[in-house]
Amino acid sequence: MSDSGIRSVREIGANIAAWTAEESLPVIRGTDACPAGPYFPTNSTNDASVGDVAWSNPSNSNSSNDSYATVTLTALQTSQRIKAVGFMPSGYGPGANGFYIPSDQQIDGILVEVEGKTIALGVDVIVRLVKAGTVGSTTQTANWTSTESFRSYGGSTYLWGDTWTPDDINNGNFGCAVRVE
């Protein structure tokens, strides 16, 4: 893309955005309540309810394989968001969530990891959780660089401004939403 007449161009790639969103398991009490991840989304779609520019190939964010979902932004534009749900262990097919948290467990925190890169500096990538298909209001933000890597959002004691039950996490519409500003 030529940048004549455009003040700046920001391109983001994501394997989940150019990114891959990989989500790690929620942290729960108990040592063997569910297997270790990583877990990948089985359903990643563009959500046009916010932002200016749609992602190309949002389903490319369903694995970490260097095939990215991408968005190209000019100055003052923001991306729409990729909504990624239905997390499964690597190598599993589509269906319900690939992990099961027993109902007697307590959710202490949720960590989301997103793999990606950008061709421009100073790009903020914003992540929110999706609970039963609805995007939450609490955001975590990280600045991306041109080096592909995983960025962590949330953590072992971070609940994203919400209360969580095992049923919320086991729901096939649990996931994350990612957008770029």
Side-chain angles (χ1 to χ4, degrees), residues 51-160:
D52 306 310
V53 181
W55 289 87
S56 297
N57 303 309
S59 64
N60 284 353
S61 66
N62 290 348
S63 66
S64 178
N65 62 4
D66 294 330
S67 291
Y68 296 106
T70 60
V71 64
T72 301
L73 305 174
T74 59
L76 305 178
Q77 287 182 317
T78 62
S79 77
Q80 294 172 356
R81 60 183 164 214
I82 291 182
K83 191 185 215 181
V85 298
F87 283 81
M88 298 287 294
S90 179
Y92 282 70
N97 277 4
F99 53 86
Y100 174 77
I101 300 173
S103 61
D104 64 344
Q105 299 297 303
Q106 176 178 320
I107 307 302
D108 293 330
I110 301 170
L111 171 69
V112 176
E113 292 182 325
V114 180
E115 179 184 16
K117 62 183 177 180
T118 178
I119 63 169
L121 298 178
V123 176
D124 288 328
V125 177
I126 300 164
V127 173
R128 293 181 177 191
L129 289 188
V130 176
K131 185 177 189 178
T134 301
V135 177
S137 61
T138 301
T139 63
Q140 289 276 289
T141 304
N143 193 271
W144 284 19
T145 67
S146 59
T147 302
E148 181 179 317
S149 64
F150 284 92
R151 274 65 172 199
S152 296
Y153 300 83
S156 63
T157 60
Y158 189 77
L159 291 171
W160 298 79

